[in-house]
Amino acid sequence: FGLNTILFLILARWLTLAEIGAFAAAFAPIRVLQIVQRSGFSEAIIQGDTDNSVFVTTCFWMAMAFGFVGAALLVVFSFFIGSLTNASDAGAFLIAMSVIPILVAVASIPEGLLRRRFEVRSLAIRTTVSISLAGLVALWLGYRGYGGWALTIFALANNALSTVLVLAMARWRPTGLPRLHEARKTLPIVAAISSREFAYSSISPIYQLMVAAALGPVAAGAFQIAQRFVTLAQTVTTTSLRFATLPILVQLRDSDARLGNALLETSGLLTLVSAPVYLGLLAVAPHLLPLAVGADNGITTDPILQAMLLIGATISIHTLYTQALTATGRSDVALRWAIVSLLLYVPVGAVA
């Protein structure tokens, strides 16, 4: 799953920080919507009764409604983002990518079904194939000098291919129209899960947009490169956790002892994996960045990346215990903590 970040870092050698920053500013609101879609609807499927076709179909149409509303909001925002971030291309990038929430909506329920069945291998194949094919197109565009459009086309192609593949792998289609009574029962569950994930995971894209608005596209580009390196570290340490742990914890939730033992063992394993990755990147960052993204881009990005790595090592443990709360039906606790974090981090970032 780190292939996405690796392709981005290769492209970064051919792009200026301003071009990267314009794309990053345009993609930030899309990322916020993706967080809500992929967490709320997919995890509702993992926890819910998938033998109930009415429940699954209703979740699908709810996801589609959210996707179309999100796409419309992105189109409206595209008329303002250029002046907000001083990135003239950001509006065009955002209009081009405004279809992504609809693609994510189509894929969210099949992805949840695959995760519930523990078909991690299928999800890995889907991701590798879609990123590889979209990446080849993006690398060609970047090499030919298309700048930020190379990243924009990559985002579009990756999401489109990913959606087609997950539909084929899940072998699922909606069986009818949504049922209002089922939607009323499902909405609070989806809202609790997605609100928690939004409050926690939206901090990074919100910071990205704030950096672009306050400091311009060059600073936004350096911030995006640093963020991608941290994402690579997170991929190495938490990918299997994110896709496999929640279904397992759901099965253990009726036994406090078994659930507690699983959490302790997984926490120890995550610490053993995470510490060397983050500390290693922290040590080699000044030398690795110029090699990976070019001398000018690397020198500007280095201090931002080192600051991010210092706090990034805690993310895997936080993810584990957030999923444990979700599995035991205590999404409300995770939501309250995530809201507190969001209310603290965003003002601090604005002041900084």
Side-chain angles (χ1 to χ4, degrees), residues 124-148:
I125 292 172
R126 181 273 307 253
T127 302
T128 301
V129 171
S130 63
I131 289 177
S132 298
L133 294 178
L136 289 174
V137 176
L139 289 173
W140 182 82
L141 291 171
Y143 177 75
R144 298 290 294 177
Y146 283 86

Side-chain angles (χ1 to χ4, degrees), residues 22-41:
F23 165 79
F27 195 71
I30 296 172
R31 179 65 186 133
V32 171
L33 292 176
Q34 286 180 318
I35 289 166
V36 174
Q37 290 176 283
R38 285 183 169 149
S39 62
F41 294 105

Side-chain angles (χ1 to χ4, degrees), residues 4 7-8 11 23-24 26-28 30-31 34 38 74 93-104 130-139 141 147-163 224 228:
N4 189 322
L7 284 167
F8 170 85
L11 280 170
F23 165 79
F27 195 71
I30 296 172
R31 179 65 186 133
Q34 286 180 318
R38 285 183 169 149
L74 292 177
F93 294 163
L94 185 54
I95 288 179
M97 293 188 291
S98 62
V99 71
I100 288 178
I102 299 173
L103 295 172
V104 173
S130 63
I131 289 177
S132 298
L133 294 178
L136 289 174
V137 176
L139 289 173
L141 291 171
W149 281 106
L151 292 170
T152 301
I153 297 301
F154 171 76
L156 279 167
N158 180 32
N159 278 277
L161 288 169
S162 179
T163 298
Q224 176 67 191
R228 292 299 183 116

Side-chain angles (χ1 to χ4, degrees), residues 47-59:
Q47 296 181 59
D49 179 12
T50 53
D51 292 329
N52 181 354
S53 61
V54 174
F55 163 72
V56 180
T57 295
T58 298
C59 282

Side-chain angles (χ1 to χ4, degrees), residues 44-232:
I45 291 296
I46 292 172
Q47 296 181 59
D49 179 12
T50 53
D51 292 329
N52 181 354
S53 61
V54 174
F55 163 72
V56 180
T57 295
T58 298
C59 282
F60 173 79
W61 290 114
M62 290 170 66
M64 290 301 298
F66 186 94
F68 276 101
V69 171
L73 291 174
L74 292 177
V75 171
V76 173
F77 189 49
S78 69
F79 293 101
F80 306 98
I81 193 171
S83 58
L84 177 66
T85 61
N86 294 315
S88 57
D89 290 334
F93 294 163
L94 185 54
I95 288 179
M97 293 188 291
S98 62
V99 71
I100 288 178
I102 299 173
L103 295 172
V104 173
V106 173
S108 60
I109 304 307
E111 181 175 314
L113 292 170
L114 289 175
R115 289 177 61 190
R116 184 182 174 92
R117 300 171 196 158
F118 299 101
E119 294 188 30
V120 179
R121 182 173 177 272
S122 296
L123 290 168
I125 292 172
R126 181 273 307 253
T127 302
T128 301
V129 171
S130 63
I131 289 177
S132 298
L133 294 178
L136 289 174
V137 176
L139 289 173
W140 182 82
L141 291 171
Y143 177 75
R144 298 290 294 177
Y146 283 86
W149 281 106
L151 292 170
T152 301
I153 297 301
F154 171 76
L156 279 167
N158 180 32
N159 278 277
L161 288 169
S162 179
T163 298
V164 170
L165 289 172
V166 81
L167 284 171
M169 290 174 172
R171 299 179 299 279
W172 176 86
R173 300 293 184 273
T175 56
L177 296 175
R179 300 292 177 87
L180 184 58
H181 70 278
E182 195 70 43
R184 286 173 177 167
K185 290 193 301 182
T186 305
L187 184 59
I189 299 171
V190 172
I193 296 171
S194 59
S195 297
R196 177 211 72 209
E197 196 64 25
F198 168 81
Y200 178 69
S201 299
S202 66
I203 293 172
S204 290
I206 289 173
Y207 272 6
Q208 180 70 74
L209 202 54
M210 289 167 59
V211 169
L215 302 176
V218 173
F223 186 88
Q224 176 67 191
I225 292 173
Q227 206 170 51
R228 292 299 183 116
F229 266 97
V230 174
T231 299
L232 185 59

